[in-house]
Amino acid sequence: MTVELQKWEFRDPMLVVMSRQQAALKRSCQGCANARTVQSPFGDTVVRCLKGKPYGKKCKQYEVDPA
């Protein structure tokens, strides 16, 4: 299996990893004011979106948590 690298991926491997992590955070729901941790009926703790959207992928209703 071969993976083609982008031009920016030929620099320092640590910088590439950090860049990918930052990009993943920008696409996630982390830090949204509409995300809440709730307990499911089975006793598990899960994170849910109060706007009814699937949690994990940033949507257009993303709001920065003031806290």
Side-chain angles (χ1 to χ4, degrees):
M1 181 170 138
T2 60
V3 177
E4 293 189 27
L5 297 175
Q6 300 293 325
K7 184 177 180 180
W8 65 272
E9 294 175 310
F10 285 105
R11 57 186 180 165
D12 183 17
M14 183 57 91
L15 293 176
V16 173
V17 169
M18 289 172 42
S19 177
R20 287 182 178 172
Q21 288 175 342
Q22 289 296 331
L25 284 175
K26 289 180 182 180
R27 291 189 306 266
S28 73
C29 294
Q30 187 174 7
C32 182
N34 299 316
R36 292 291 182 260
T37 304
V38 296
Q39 191 168 11
S40 73
F42 304 105
D44 300 334
T45 303
V46 295
V47 181
R48 298 279 185 213
C49 178
L50 297 179
K51 297 287 185 173
K53 301 289 183 183
Y55 182 79
K57 185 176 178 186
K58 188 185 281 188
C59 67
K60 293 182 180 183
Q61 297 178 352
Y62 179 88
E63 298 173 7
V64 178
D65 191 10

